[in-house]
Structures are given as C-alpha cells and as structure tokens.
Amino acid sequence: MPLNRQKPSKGKPARQSRPVRRSGESQGLTAKLDRWRDRPIGMFSSLKAELSILITLSTAIAFVLAWHFLKWGWSGWLAMPLTLVVALGITYFFAHGLTAPLRQMRDAAEAMAEGDYTVRVESANDSRDEVGQLARSFNEMAEELQHADQMRRDMVANVSHELRTPVSALQALVENMADGVVEPTPANLEGILDQTHKLSDLIAFLLDMSRVEAGAASLEIEPFDFAEFIDDTVKPLEIADGGHGHTIHVDVPEHLRMEGDPNRLSQLFTNIIANALKHSPDGTEVLIETHENEERGTVITNVVNYGSRIPEEARNDIFRRYVKGTGRPGTGSGGTGLGLSIARWAAGLHGGTVNVVPDPRGANFEIELPKYPTIDDE
C-alpha cells in the first residue's frame, strides 16, 4: 500500500518514495495510534493505576474549569453543572476505552457459546494492565478451544471410518452365511471374530477416553514380574505386526518386580510400543530397555524407534487428545489420535510420566513409573 505523502512545494524537487520497510513501520504506527484512540489509557501495568490517573485527571480538570468559571464571574449554579458535565464526559471517554476489551470478550463468549470459535479480542493486545492480560489469555483459550473442536470433529470422522470397516465386513459375512452363499467354516468364523475384536478395541479406546475426560479411574494394585509383563505385552503386537519385518529387541532385567495395575499399564505400554511400530519403516528395529533408579525408587523404560524423529516443538503436542502423527513412507498413521493421550493418562494414574527425550538413535519415549506407587484413595 503506498504511503500518503504531502505534495512537494514549488521550487523543490519531489522526495523519493520510501522503501517498503518504512511503509510497514508507518502502518504499524498508524495501527498503534488507532488502538490508542480506542483505548487511551492502557500503557500502565496496573488497572488500579489507570483508574487512579483517570480520577485524578477528571478531578483536576473539573477544579480548573470551576475556578476559571468563577473567576470570569459565572454563577455557581451554572459553573458547577457545566463542570460536572465536562468531567463526566472525560471520564466516559477514557472509561469507554478501558471497558472496550470486556465488551469484545462478552460478544466473543456469546459467539463461542453458539459454536463459533474463530472470534478473537483485538483490542488491548498490546496493553500491559490486567485487562490486556485477560484479553491475551482469552485469545489463547479461544485458540485452544478452536483446536480442540477441530480435533474432535476429525476424531468423529476417524471413528466413523474405523467403525464402518469392521461393521461392513461383519454385515457382508453374516448376510452371505444367512443366504447360504458362504458356509460357516472355521476360517469364516475366525474372520468374524477378528472383526469383532477390532470393534471391541475401538470401543475400549472410546471408554478409556471418557475416563480420561472424567479425570479419574479405579486402579487394582498388585505385584507382578515386569519382564513377564513386557513379554506378554509384546507377543500380541508381534503377531499383529504381520509381515512388516519389524524386530522388537527387549532388554529388561530379570526378577524385577514392581506394583501397579497390570491392565492400565498394559494400555500404557501397548500404545507406546504400537506407536513405535506404526511409525517405523518396514524392516527396522524397535528397542525396549528397562533399568531401575534406586535413588528415586522408579522403573524407567525407554521405547526407541530407530526409524523416525520427532521435532522438539512437537514432543509435547503429540500427547494431546485427537492429535495424530504423520507416518513415514510405507508406514501409515491411521488411528484415532487417542493412544498417546491414554498412555500418559495411565502413567499419571500411577504417579508416573511419559515423555519424549532427546536421542540421536531416533524417537525415544521414556516411561518412568514408581516401583511402589502411592495412590490417593480420593
């Protein structure tokens, strides 16, 4: 956009046009002036200070006007009402700017209640007082809600797709058997059983997600052998991996015993290991290594995927609900975006953590669990 420049005076050469960089600075200054006109008081870091200045300014102007009016010989019955009107006008002008972000937040909240999460509070973004901080926090909340709403929509679409596939297969097999086209042989019945297992797994995911949103779940703590637990967790994953050629290398100390809920921990390790397999190219290796931290009383397990990398800025986002990773060529991501979120939830129930730690070998998911968890009954 060209700048508005004054016409050169006669006898003087026209000035050269400013570069685009200066134009951007001018536009930024114009925007700041517009924001200042909308909200004249906003440069201070405290709303109390701004209100104090506003009251002091109005009082001072009212005092000066009243003094001049009386000095000019005006009647007090005329000078005092006029002074009050001027003071109220000044107060209203500045107060209107102070409350402008609050009105925008009210309108934005009403729009969000109707399902529109794209609205933002534009004024007071540069203000340093409490109203400006509230406006920025409101915008951050709106962005998070918009992201969650979009992810939820994607999740519904993904779940619908995941449900349609096994249901359609079951319907076709049962209809063929009912029509006599296909005999109820063990192989056909096994196919029906496989589809029902897929449905059960998906329903289990949704039930776990409802528990996550509820914020709690019951645990049945019992002692168990960790090496046997990992073997029992890995075996079905190796079978499900099929012909992808992945090698799962397990390095777990023998006779390592700990306490926990085996069912919840099975969800944790199954989701983490399955995620590593899903994002590894065919023919690569997945490492599972465990050691005990005696000082902290924890058992630390690292699940290392040699075939992929996770950017540092995305290492925490992948644990958010409905967020799906992008698979490498030949891997495919799929899923509902709930697995890692459920894994972190299951670890948190035991007082543990799941994080992605730096590792030159690849994506390294570190699971740290207390050897003897202390669970709050409440």
Side-chain angles (χ1 to χ4, degrees), residues 92 95 110 198 200 253 268 306:
Y92 179 82
E110 293 176 353
K198 292 180 180 179
S200 298
L268 165 60
Y306 291 95

Side-chain angles (χ1 to χ4, degrees), residues 89-100:
I90 295 173
T91 304
Y92 179 82
F93 172 75
F94 285 98
H96 180 81
L98 285 175
T99 58

Side-chain angles (χ1 to χ4, degrees), residues 112 115-118 141-156 320-322:
M112 292 169 64
D116 182 11
Y117 298 102
T118 62
M141 179 193 69
E143 291 178 2
E144 185 66 23
L145 288 175
Q146 182 180 6
H147 173 78
D149 181 67
Q150 183 60 45
M151 292 299 100
R152 189 174 291 108
R153 293 173 186 269
D154 294 341
M155 184 272 239
V156 171
R320 296 168 62 185
R321 284 173 287 177
Y322 316 121

